[in-house]
């Protein structure tokens, strides 16, 4: 059902090991109504170091796919390997630890803790990992400065613009230095200028930190600035190779 192309790619990705290997994934939501089959037999692979965009119509299962790749949700069948480790082979607690150490998530609806300041939001992953408060806050301030919010650390999350909130969400996702970043429409609610600048920030951080990054977006211009574009449809997911415009 699914076209699965690894194909040739940009120089950076040739012969690189896979950061993501998802095979034959199926996901069915069973709730109050009739079961919803989001996809079945879906396969997807991304080489290490690649910045990949995923596009596709609303409801096709892009967020669902990211949740499966990040181990936040489990497929009904199929396998996910991240950075060479099989998520299926892990117990839930081990999977949670693996995720905290290796995967950063920028959620479609950014999920900042509204009662907390920007600094506290970014310090949070460090606190969960057992870092002492003072050091966690120092690291958070450093990262907030990197995303252009040095002077917003003490603002409550609610007192930030949409673009600023997305920068905080990105900083929070990067706090623990993940090797894989999954970003679900990180510019979805922003005007064109803010979307462009948040996306450029993501690209810079992707490069600086040598991560593998998957970005879901509805914006073809932004997708065109990635190394690879995957298009998701009811039939599955197909890769097309693009050269990035990075200079
Ligand atoms: N918890 C859930 N229970 C039942 N159905 C769900 C659940 N979450 C998602 N779905 C359904 O699964 C399908 C895929 O949803 P998903 O959020 O992955 O789509 P998407 O491609 O990310 O869409 P969008 O571009 O609008 O964000 C949709 O039809 C949605 O209604
Ligand atoms: Mg979505």
């Amino acid at each position: 059902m699914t076209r699965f192309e690894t194909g040739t790619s940009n120089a950076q990705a040739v012969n690189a090991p896979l950061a993501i290997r998802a095979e034959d994934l199926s996901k069915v939501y069973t709730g109050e109504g009739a079961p919803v089959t989001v996809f079945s037999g879906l396969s997807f692979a991304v080489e290490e170091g690649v910045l990949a965009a995923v596009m596709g119509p609303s409801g096709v299962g892009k967020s669902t796919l990211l949740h499966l790749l990040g181990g936040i949700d489990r497929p009904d069948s199929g396998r996910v390997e991240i950075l060479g480790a099989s998520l299926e082979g892990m117990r839930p607690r081990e999977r949670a630890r693996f995720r905290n150490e290796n995967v950063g998530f920028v959620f479609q609806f950014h999920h900042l803790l509204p009662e907390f300041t920007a600094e506290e939001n970014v310090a949070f992953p460090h606190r969960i990992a057992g870092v002492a408060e003072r050091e966690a806050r120092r690291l958070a301030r450093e990262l907030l400065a990197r995303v252009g919010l040095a002077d917003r650390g003490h603002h409550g999350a609610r007192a930030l613009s949409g673009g600023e909130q997305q920068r905080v969400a990105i900083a929070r996702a990067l706090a623990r230095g993940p090797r894989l970043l999954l970003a679900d429409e990180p510019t979805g609610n922003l005007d064109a200028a803010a979307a462009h600048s948040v996306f450029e920030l993501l690209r810079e951080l992707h490069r600086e930190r040598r991560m593998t990054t998957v970005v879901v977006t509805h914006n073809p211009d932004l997708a065109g600035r990635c190394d690879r574009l995957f298009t998701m449809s009811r039939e599955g997911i197909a890769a097309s190779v693009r050269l990035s415009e990075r200079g």
Side-chain angles (χ1 to χ4, degrees):
M1 156 180 209
T2 302
R3 276 196 292 147
F4 179 35
E5 305 164 15
T6 45
T8 52
S9 185
N10 57 329
Q12 181 196 18
V14 168
N15 296 329
L18 293 181
I20 297 172
R21 182 203 294 272
E23 282 175 349
D24 228 7
L25 292 183
S26 312
K27 182 68 190 173
V28 181
Y29 286 113
T30 46
E32 316 217 318
V36 177
T37 300
V38 186
F39 42 68
S40 62
L42 185 136
S43 296
F44 178 69
V46 180
E47 297 95 341
E48 268 183 27
V50 163
L51 172 58
V54 175
M55 296 191 77
S58 187
V60 81
K62 303 178 299 298
S63 295
T64 302
L65 176 63
L66 283 203
H67 294 165
L68 299 184
L69 298 180
I72 288 173
D73 197 2
R74 310 295 311 133
D76 291 289
S77 61
R79 295 162 297 284
V80 180
E81 235 177 65
I82 298 297
L83 306 164
S86 161
L87 296 186
E88 279 63 47
M90 297 179 192
R91 292 166 185 278
R93 184 178 287 206
E94 197 185 343
R95 194 157 51 234
R97 192 179 327 122
F98 179 84
R99 187 171 67 229
N100 291 343
E101 284 168 10
N102 294 289
V103 185
F105 230 108
V106 180
F107 293 93
Q108 179 162 10
F109 305 101
H110 51 72
H111 292 319
L112 293 181
L113 299 167
E115 308 300 330
F116 292 84
T117 65
E119 186 178 302
E120 286 163 344
N121 268 280
V122 181
F124 205 65
H126 293 303
R127 297 292 287 142
I128 289 173
V131 176
E133 165 107 32
R134 181 190 268 261
E135 175 64 1
R137 283 182 174 268
R138 189 189 65 75
L139 292 167
R141 280 195 296 276
E142 222 170 73
L143 202 46
L144 281 173
R146 175 61 192 87
V147 301
L149 295 176
D151 55 347
R152 292 288 192 278
H154 297 296
H155 279 227
R158 268 197 216 118
L160 296 168
S161 75
E164 289 165 349
Q165 290 183 32
Q166 281 305 29
R167 285 167 185 265
V168 175
I170 290 168
R172 184 182 57 180
L174 296 181
R176 300 295 298 163
R179 290 168 62 199
L180 173 64
L181 177 66
L182 303 173
D184 197 354
E185 299 194 43
T187 62
N189 298 316
L190 306 179
D191 68 36
H196 182 82
S197 93
V198 166
F199 203 84
E200 280 311 297
L201 173 69
L202 258 185
R203 285 208 325 156
E204 287 167 17
L205 290 165
H206 163 82
R207 210 171 341 173
E208 274 170 34
R209 295 177 161 237
R210 301 172 184 276
M211 297 181 292
T212 306
T213 304
V214 180
V215 187
V216 170
T217 179
H218 285 291
N219 184 323
D221 295 336
L222 300 182
R225 303 179 72 78
C226 294
D227 300 322
R228 304 259 260 141
L229 171 63
F230 292 86
T231 307
M232 206 165 163
S233 68
R234 285 272 160 233
E235 279 66 55
I237 189 164
S240 73
V241 176
R242 293 238 188 147
L243 293 179
S244 70
E245 297 169 10
R246 64 175 64 149

